[in-house]
Protein backbone atom coordinates (compact mmCIF):
# COMPACT_ATOMS: atom_id res chain seq x y z
CA UNK A 1 0.00 0.00 0.00
CA UNK A 2 3.06 2.24 -0.12
CA UNK A 3 2.35 5.60 -1.76
CA UNK A 4 5.25 6.44 -4.15
CA UNK A 5 4.47 10.14 -3.72
CA UNK A 6 5.25 9.88 -0.01
CA UNK A 7 8.94 9.76 -0.86
CA UNK A 8 8.65 13.39 -1.99
CA UNK A 9 7.28 14.53 1.37
CA UNK A 10 9.84 16.04 3.72
CA UNK A 11 9.56 15.35 7.46
CA UNK A 12 10.03 17.90 10.19
CA UNK A 13 13.28 17.27 12.06
CA UNK A 14 13.07 17.77 15.82
CA UNK A 15 16.12 17.44 18.06
CA UNK A 16 16.03 15.97 21.55
CA UNK A 17 19.75 16.49 22.28
CA UNK A 18 22.89 18.21 21.05
CA UNK A 19 24.62 15.16 19.54
CA UNK A 20 24.27 14.66 15.80
CA UNK A 21 22.12 11.50 15.91
CA UNK A 22 19.73 12.82 18.57
CA UNK A 23 16.74 13.67 16.40
CA UNK A 24 13.31 12.50 15.35
CA UNK A 25 11.74 12.78 11.88
CA UNK A 26 8.06 13.71 12.19
CA UNK A 27 5.77 12.83 9.27
CA UNK A 28 2.19 14.05 9.08
CA UNK A 29 -0.26 11.93 7.05
CA UNK A 30 -2.49 13.52 4.39
CA UNK A 31 -5.55 13.31 6.67
CA UNK A 32 -6.89 15.64 9.34
CA UNK A 33 -7.10 12.96 12.03
CA UNK A 34 -4.46 10.20 11.90
CA UNK A 35 -5.47 6.60 12.52
CA UNK A 36 -2.67 6.43 15.08
CA UNK A 37 0.90 7.45 15.80
CA UNK A 38 3.68 5.02 14.87
CA UNK A 39 7.14 5.57 16.34
CA UNK A 40 9.75 3.70 14.30
CA UNK A 41 13.04 2.49 15.80
CA UNK A 42 15.57 1.07 13.36
CA UNK A 43 18.01 -1.75 14.01
CA UNK A 44 21.50 -2.54 12.78
CA UNK A 45 22.90 -4.42 15.78
CA UNK A 46 23.57 -1.11 17.55
CA UNK A 47 26.13 0.04 14.96
CA UNK A 48 26.23 3.57 13.54
CA UNK A 49 26.54 2.19 10.01
CA UNK A 50 22.73 1.98 10.01
CA UNK A 51 20.25 4.82 10.42
CA UNK A 52 16.63 5.92 9.99
CA UNK A 53 16.67 5.25 6.24
CA UNK A 54 16.13 1.55 7.07
CA UNK A 55 12.60 2.36 8.21
CA UNK A 56 11.55 4.70 5.39
CA UNK A 57 9.60 2.03 3.46
CA UNK A 58 7.46 1.40 6.54
CA UNK A 59 7.10 5.14 7.14
CA UNK A 60 5.82 5.74 3.61
CA UNK A 61 3.43 2.80 3.83
CA UNK A 62 1.99 3.91 7.18
CA UNK A 63 1.56 7.47 5.91
CA UNK A 64 -0.40 6.16 2.95
CA UNK A 65 -2.63 4.26 5.39
CA UNK A 66 -3.36 7.40 7.39
CA UNK A 67 -0.92 6.95 10.27
CA UNK A 68 1.27 9.71 11.64
CA UNK A 69 4.91 8.64 11.90
CA UNK A 70 7.97 9.48 13.97
CA UNK A 71 11.23 7.95 12.73
CA UNK A 72 13.72 7.98 15.60
CA UNK A 73 17.50 8.29 15.37
CA UNK A 74 19.82 7.64 18.30
CA UNK A 75 23.49 7.36 19.22
CA UNK A 76 24.89 3.91 18.55
CA UNK A 77 28.28 2.19 18.55
CA UNK A 78 30.59 4.40 16.52
CA UNK A 79 28.97 7.77 17.20
CA UNK A 80 28.80 8.03 20.97
CA UNK A 81 26.33 5.27 21.77
CA UNK A 82 26.43 1.87 23.44
CA UNK A 83 24.89 0.64 26.67
CA UNK A 84 23.11 2.42 28.36
CA UNK A 85 23.40 5.61 26.27
CA UNK A 86 21.54 4.17 23.29
CA UNK A 87 18.50 3.22 25.37
CA UNK A 88 18.56 6.61 27.11
CA UNK A 89 18.41 8.25 23.68
CA UNK A 90 15.46 6.10 22.66
CA UNK A 91 13.60 7.02 25.84
CA UNK A 92 14.26 10.71 25.20
CA UNK A 93 13.39 10.42 21.51
CA UNK A 94 10.04 8.75 22.14
CA UNK A 95 9.14 11.33 24.76
CA UNK A 96 10.15 14.11 22.38
CA UNK A 97 8.00 12.65 19.60
CA UNK A 98 5.00 12.55 21.91
CA UNK A 99 5.58 16.01 23.36
CA UNK A 100 5.98 17.58 19.91
CA UNK A 101 2.74 16.09 18.60
CA UNK A 102 0.33 15.64 21.53
CA UNK A 103 -2.59 15.83 19.08
CA UNK A 104 -1.44 12.51 17.60
CA UNK A 105 -1.39 10.77 20.99
CA UNK A 106 -5.04 9.81 21.34
CA UNK A 107 -5.96 7.03 23.76
CA UNK A 108 -4.28 3.83 22.68
CA UNK A 109 -2.85 5.35 19.52
CA UNK A 110 0.91 5.44 20.16
CA UNK A 111 2.54 2.27 18.83
CA UNK A 112 6.29 1.76 18.67
CA UNK A 113 7.66 -0.43 15.88
CA UNK A 114 11.20 -1.70 16.35
CA UNK A 115 13.25 -3.95 14.07
CA UNK A 116 16.12 -6.19 15.20
CA UNK A 117 18.09 -4.24 17.83
CA UNK A 118 15.43 -1.59 17.41
CA UNK A 119 12.97 -4.22 18.58
CA UNK A 120 15.01 -4.66 21.75
CA UNK A 121 14.97 -0.88 22.30
CA UNK A 122 11.22 -0.65 21.62
CA UNK A 123 10.49 -3.43 24.11
CA UNK A 124 12.68 -1.83 26.78
CA UNK A 125 10.82 1.46 26.23
CA UNK A 126 7.35 -0.13 26.21
CA UNK A 127 6.22 1.92 29.20
CA UNK A 128 6.34 5.09 27.07
CA UNK A 129 3.85 3.88 24.45
CA UNK A 130 0.48 2.13 24.25
CA UNK A 131 1.60 -0.97 22.34
CA UNK A 132 4.74 -2.44 20.77
CA UNK A 133 5.42 -4.20 17.47
CA UNK A 134 8.74 -6.06 17.55
CA UNK A 135 9.96 -7.20 14.13
CA UNK A 136 12.66 -9.89 14.30
CA UNK A 137 13.70 -8.42 17.66
CA UNK A 138 16.74 -8.94 19.82
CA UNK A 139 15.13 -10.16 23.04
CA UNK A 140 18.10 -11.57 24.94
CA UNK A 141 21.44 -9.78 24.63
CA UNK A 142 23.01 -12.60 26.68
CA UNK A 143 22.26 -15.02 23.84
CA UNK A 144 23.59 -12.60 21.24
CA UNK A 145 26.85 -12.63 23.23
CA UNK A 146 26.88 -16.39 23.78
CA UNK A 147 26.15 -17.13 20.11
CA UNK A 148 28.56 -14.41 18.89
CA UNK A 149 25.91 -13.09 16.52
CA UNK A 150 26.93 -10.55 13.87
CA UNK A 151 30.62 -10.56 14.73
CA UNK A 152 30.14 -10.21 18.48
CA UNK A 153 27.74 -7.28 18.21
CA UNK A 154 26.79 -7.62 21.87
CA UNK A 155 30.39 -7.12 22.95
CA UNK A 156 30.60 -3.88 21.01
CA UNK A 157 27.29 -2.63 22.39
CA UNK A 158 27.77 -3.62 26.02
CA UNK A 159 31.53 -3.03 26.26
CA UNK A 160 32.25 -6.44 27.80
CA UNK A 161 30.99 -10.01 27.69
CA UNK A 162 28.07 -11.28 29.76
CA UNK A 163 30.38 -13.07 32.19
CA UNK A 164 31.95 -9.74 33.14
CA UNK A 165 28.73 -7.71 33.55
CA UNK A 166 25.73 -10.03 34.03
CA UNK A 167 23.54 -7.41 35.73
CA UNK A 168 23.89 -4.96 32.83
CA UNK A 169 23.11 -7.71 30.32
CA UNK A 170 19.96 -8.49 32.27
CA UNK A 171 18.87 -4.85 32.16
CA UNK A 172 19.54 -4.76 28.41
CA UNK A 173 17.55 -7.94 27.69
CA UNK A 174 13.76 -7.61 27.33
CA UNK A 175 13.30 -11.24 28.35
CA UNK A 176 14.69 -10.33 31.78
CA UNK A 177 12.41 -7.30 32.16
CA UNK A 178 9.05 -9.06 31.88
CA UNK A 179 6.24 -8.33 32.31
CA UNK A 180 6.23 -5.26 30.07
CA UNK A 181 2.53 -4.61 30.71
CA UNK A 182 1.70 -3.43 27.20
CA UNK A 183 0.13 -5.28 24.25
CA UNK A 184 2.97 -6.73 22.18
CA UNK A 185 3.14 -8.23 18.71
CA UNK A 186 6.26 -10.19 17.80
CA UNK A 187 6.87 -11.03 14.13
CA UNK A 188 9.76 -13.29 13.15
CA UNK A 189 10.70 -15.25 10.04
CA UNK A 190 11.74 -18.86 10.29
CA UNK A 191 14.77 -18.40 7.98
CA UNK A 192 16.27 -15.45 9.89
CA UNK A 193 20.01 -16.01 10.40
CA UNK A 194 20.81 -12.61 11.95
CA UNK A 195 18.48 -13.05 14.93
CA UNK A 196 17.40 -16.70 15.06
CA UNK A 197 13.64 -17.16 15.30
CA UNK A 198 14.02 -19.29 18.43
CA UNK A 199 14.94 -16.17 20.37
CA UNK A 200 11.45 -14.82 19.79
CA UNK A 201 9.77 -18.13 20.56
CA UNK A 202 11.45 -18.22 23.96
CA UNK A 203 10.62 -14.57 24.62
CA UNK A 204 6.96 -15.04 23.78
CA UNK A 205 6.74 -18.12 26.00
CA UNK A 206 8.32 -16.17 28.88
CA UNK A 207 6.03 -13.18 28.30
CA UNK A 208 2.94 -15.39 28.40
CA UNK A 209 4.17 -16.94 31.65
CA UNK A 210 4.68 -13.44 33.07
CA UNK A 211 1.11 -12.48 32.21
CA UNK A 212 1.77 -10.15 29.29
CA UNK A 213 -0.72 -9.66 26.44
CA UNK A 214 1.39 -10.89 23.52
CA UNK A 215 0.77 -12.19 20.01
CA UNK A 216 3.29 -14.03 17.85
CA UNK A 217 3.46 -14.33 14.08
CA UNK A 218 5.97 -16.88 12.83
CA UNK A 219 6.34 -16.23 9.10
CA UNK A 220 7.56 -19.03 6.81
CA UNK A 221 10.33 -17.92 4.45
CA UNK A 222 10.71 -14.42 5.90
CA UNK A 223 14.33 -13.35 6.34
CA UNK A 224 15.68 -10.66 8.65
CA UNK A 225 15.64 -7.69 6.29
CA UNK A 226 12.25 -8.59 4.80
CA UNK A 227 10.70 -7.99 8.22
CA UNK A 228 10.78 -4.26 7.35
CA UNK A 229 9.50 -4.69 3.80
CA UNK A 230 5.89 -3.43 3.57
CA UNK A 231 5.39 -5.64 0.51
CA UNK A 232 6.12 -8.80 2.54
CA UNK A 233 3.29 -11.11 3.48
CA UNK A 234 3.23 -10.25 7.19
CA UNK A 235 2.82 -6.48 6.94
CA UNK A 236 -0.92 -6.16 6.27
CA UNK A 237 -1.63 -8.38 9.28
CA UNK A 238 0.79 -6.32 11.36
CA UNK A 239 -1.00 -3.07 10.58
CA UNK A 240 -4.34 -4.76 11.19
CA UNK A 241 -3.11 -5.79 14.64
CA UNK A 242 -2.03 -2.19 15.31
CA UNK A 243 -5.43 -0.81 14.36
CA UNK A 244 -7.39 -3.41 16.31
CA UNK A 245 -5.21 -2.97 19.38
CA UNK A 246 -5.55 0.80 19.20
CA UNK A 247 -9.32 0.52 19.04
CA UNK A 248 -9.47 -1.89 21.97
CA UNK A 249 -7.25 0.33 24.11
CA UNK A 250 -9.31 3.41 23.25
CA UNK A 251 -12.45 1.64 24.53
CA UNK A 252 -10.83 0.38 27.72
Amino acid sequence: MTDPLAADVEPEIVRYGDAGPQFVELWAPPVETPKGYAILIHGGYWRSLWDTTLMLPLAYDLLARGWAVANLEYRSVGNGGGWPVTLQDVHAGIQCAKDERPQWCAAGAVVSIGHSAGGQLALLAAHLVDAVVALAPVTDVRRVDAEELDDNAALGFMGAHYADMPDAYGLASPISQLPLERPILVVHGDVDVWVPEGHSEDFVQAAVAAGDDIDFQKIPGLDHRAAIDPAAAHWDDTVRWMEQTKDLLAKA
Side-chain angles (χ1 to χ4, degrees):
M1 193 170 177
T2 302
D3 182 354
L5 297 179
D8 297 325
V9 178
E10 293 294 330
E12 179 182 354
I13 307 298
V14 177
R15 304 202 61 82
Y16 61 87
D18 296 329
Q22 292 179 303
F23 67 86
V24 181
E25 301 168 348
L26 301 178
W27 305 75
V31 294
E32 184 175 350
T33 302
K35 287 184 179 179
Y37 190 9
I39 300 179
L40 309 183
I41 307 173
H42 72 82
Y45 263 129
W46 310 291
R47 295 187 175 109
S48 60
L49 174 66
W50 307 102
D51 59 21
T52 54
T53 57
L54 282 172
M55 304 299 272
L56 287 180
L58 296 189
Y60 298 150
D61 182 86
L62 288 164
L63 287 168
R65 295 174 187 264
W67 282 73
V69 174
N71 197 10
L72 195 159
E73 190 55 274
Y74 52 84
R75 287 174 290 177
S76 47
V77 177
N79 61 13
W83 180 260
V85 170
T86 296
L87 180 60
Q88 292 168 350
D89 275 8
V90 169
H91 283 171
I94 291 174
Q95 192 61 56
C96 172
K98 292 165 59 180
D99 290 345
E100 288 291 327
R101 293 294 186 274
Q103 69 273 27
W104 294 348
C105 301
V110 183
V111 181
S112 62
I113 304 173
H115 173 242
S116 191
Q120 171 232 11
L121 297 167
L123 290 166
L124 292 176
H127 62 286
L128 295 174
V129 299
D130 299 309
V132 178
V133 173
L135 304 172
V138 170
T139 56
D140 191 342
V141 185
R142 298 166 301 187
R143 286 180 69 172
V144 176
D145 180 55
E147 297 170 18
E148 300 182 347
L149 296 177
D150 201 36
D151 297 325
N152 286 306
L155 175 62
F157 176 59
M158 299 298 297
H161 288 294
Y162 168 68
D164 299 316
M165 47 190 307
D167 291 343
Y169 268 80
L171 292 172
S173 298
I175 197 169
S176 297
Q177 300 302 311
L178 298 168
L180 301 182
E181 300 180 338
R182 294 292 187 277
I184 303 165
L185 171 64
V186 175
V187 180
H188 216 127
D190 65 356
V191 295
D192 193 329
V193 297
W194 295 99
V195 181
E197 182 267 333
H199 289 218
S200 281
E201 285 191 337
D202 290 347
F203 174 76
V204 170
Q205 183 177 7
V208 170
D212 269 331
D213 176 6
I214 188 164
D215 292 296
F216 182 39
Q217 294 180 8
K218 180 178 178 179
I219 310 299
L222 187 77
D223 64 26
H224 192 69
R225 188 65 178 269
I228 49 173
D229 181 358
H234 71 288
W235 184 242
D236 283 343
D237 287 339
T238 299
V239 177
R240 189 174 300 112
W241 181 92
M242 292 165 57
E243 294 177 348
Q244 291 173 347
T245 300
K246 172 186 70 71
D247 291 342
L248 287 172
L249 291 172
K251 294 176 182 177

